Amino acid sequence: MKITDITLDRVRLPLDPPLRAAWDPDPRTVFDATVVRVHTDDGVVGIGSGDTMDGFDAYRHLFVGTDPLAIARHVRAIETCALHGGHYWPLEAALWDLAGKVAGLPVATLFGGTYDAVPAYASFCVLRPPAERAEVAHRVAEEGFRAVKIRVDRDRADEGVAAVAAVREALGTDFAIMVDLNQAWRMAGDVAPATDLAATRRLVRRLADLDVFWVEEPLPYADADGMRTLRADNPGLRIAAGEMQRSFGELLRLLDGDALDVHQPDVVLAAGMSRVRTLAELALLRHRAFTPHSWTNGIGVLANLHVCAGVGGGPYFEFPYDPPDWTPARRDFPLAEPLTVGDDGMLAVPSAPGLGFTLDEEAIARWRVR
């Protein structure tokens, strides 16, 4: 089997009303997705998505004509492209989708097959007043979720802590609450500095008093010593990070330095499915948690789900969801069926071969960027 072509469909969904995500400097008026298709001479097509794939045309020739199942080789080639600025991990997801289809197995089975479903947490994105945040949390709890993640803005810390307190009061002590401070990295053009360690220590202590399950990305990636300080300050509260740490070496250093309780690299943004599997298994062997970031579209969510379920990650899996602003219909617009969580709060691994989804070709054609 040989790769005959790799094609990209760039699609863009207008967002009306705009999405006011906590980490965006400006409201988001469109949601972009790039769908990668790996075509073969046997007619099997693998599909992936996640990162933008910008600049890939210059590197397509490195893959066309090769064996699509030589994934270890392709991972190394993608890493050489990354050295020159291109992050093409959606291509690896497409290759694993293809491999699963050839084998007739879900990718999670190829990655170990530990779980066929994982508990999902509703990953919120909008900054809401405390009463409104509690109302949305109560709604998703009624839908089956047993955990949520709340964004807290560094410039609105009191309001953020109040929102966490409102959710804790509304849903009780058995409900898991995570908090994301979004301090490790910035969107393009956002040059505001992160809150210093002293202020972050005070904020994390307040969150610990509310029995938060983990605090995510509280400091820039370079401040591993600060992460360790936060862990020592707050026994019983976990520190999580790594979602956009694009260097596998840096991910290993965070692990080797025992800076984190929860490791979160995203397989279609950070380091790819194969490398993240390695990181995940090392973390689990060292009695640390692995639960990846998954804020792209449904294909990216599934790529992360297959790795997480395959290796036995958890204890929760990120499900981007903050109704009515962010819904499966918006997030998964390239798919024939959006991903949903069961009444039991579990996100099931699709049983179909590969990553287990079907594209909505009409939606692809409608929203394709010309």
Side-chain angles (χ1 to χ4, degrees):
M1 186 186 297
K2 300 294 182 185
I3 297 174
T4 56
D5 199 7
I6 301 171
T7 59
L8 307 180
D9 287 306
R10 299 185 183 276
V11 290
R12 172 171 291 172
L13 180 71
L15 297 180
D16 184 16
L19 176 66
R20 290 173 169 80
W23 57 88
D24 281 335
D26 301 302
R28 191 175 300 198
T29 59
V30 297
F31 181 50
D32 289 334
T34 301
V35 178
V36 183
R37 306 191 207 216
V38 177
H39 304 266
T40 67
D41 54 3
D42 279 11
V44 184
V45 179
I47 303 171
S49 188
D51 215 334
T52 65
M53 298 292 292
D54 288 348
F56 180 71
D57 288 347
Y59 302 106
R60 182 181 281 103
H61 68 282
L62 300 176
F63 304 94
V64 172
T66 65
D67 180 355
L69 301 183
I71 297 179
R73 178 267 174 196
H74 299 316
V75 167
R76 297 186 187 106
I78 292 169
E79 287 175 331
T80 65
C81 298
L83 183 66
H84 299 279
H87 301 285
Y88 303 133
W89 297 117
L91 170 58
E92 188 196 0
L95 292 167
W96 279 110
D97 181 54
L98 191 151
K101 290 172 178 174
V102 170
L105 295 169
V107 172
T109 302
L110 303 181
F111 275 62
T114 305
Y115 301 135
D116 57 14
V118 293
Y121 70 87
S123 184
F124 296 151
C125 59
V126 177
L127 300 173
R128 302 187 192 276
E132 184 180 336
R133 176 46 70 209
E135 181 182 352
V136 175
H138 190 269
R139 169 179 169 180
V140 302
E142 289 183 329
E143 294 174 8
F145 289 90
R146 293 296 174 262
V148 298
K149 185 165 74 184
I150 299 170
R151 312 284 167 164
V152 173
D153 187 278
R154 61 187 180 275
D155 297 324
R156 297 163 58 181
D158 288 345
E159 181 181 359
V161 172
V164 174
V167 173
R168 174 61 70 216
E169 182 178 359
L171 297 178
T173 57
D174 292 336
F175 196 87
I177 301 174
M178 298 79 155
V179 169
D180 195 339
L181 300 184
N182 285 119
Q183 293 276 60
W185 57 276
R186 290 283 182 269
M187 295 294 290
D190 183 354
V191 298
T195 305
D196 68 16
L197 179 58
T200 303
R201 290 175 75 177
R202 287 195 296 270
L203 175 56
V204 173
R205 177 60 58 86
R206 297 172 69 188
L207 295 169
D209 289 342
L210 292 168
D211 195 24
V212 165
F213 191 81
W214 76 54
V215 173
E216 184 170 330
E217 310 242 293
L219 295 166
Y221 288 136
D223 194 0
D225 287 341
M227 302 280 196
R228 284 187 287 269
T229 296
L230 293 175
R231 292 183 66 206
D233 278 351
N234 301 282
L237 180 144
R238 300 157 187 86
I239 299 298
E243 63 189 41
M244 291 286 281
Q245 181 56 273
R246 293 188 183 265
S247 164
F248 185 66
E250 289 299 320
L251 286 166
L252 283 178
R253 275 187 279 276
L254 288 172
L255 179 62
D256 289 340
D258 202 19
L260 305 173
D261 299 283
V262 184
H263 294 263
Q264 301 179 297
D266 188 312
V267 306
V268 294
L269 295 176
M273 296 175 71
S274 301
R275 298 301 192 207
V276 169
R277 172 177 61 182
T278 298
L279 186 284
E281 290 181 338
L282 288 172
L284 293 170
L285 284 169
R286 297 181 187 188
H287 200 221
R288 300 293 178 261
F290 164 70
T291 179
H293 172 270
S294 68
W295 260 89
T296 54
N297 57 67
I299 301 172
V301 173
L302 283 172
N304 280 287
L305 174 65
H306 279 272
V307 176
C308 185
V311 302
Y316 297 101
F317 181 82
E318 183 170 40
F319 190 79
Y321 183 44
D322 195 356
D325 300 79
W326 198 240
T327 62
R330 278 186 155 191
R331 183 195 64 212
D332 300 346
F333 76 98
L335 302 186
E337 293 289 339
L339 307 181
T340 56
V341 171
D343 293 342
D344 58 357
M346 304 292 284
L347 181 61
V349 175
S351 60
L355 295 178
F357 64 87
T358 301
L359 288 176
D360 183 342
E361 296 293 356
E362 292 185 2
I364 299 293
R366 178 182 181 185
W367 303 117
R368 183 179 287 116
V369 178
R370 305 294 179 181

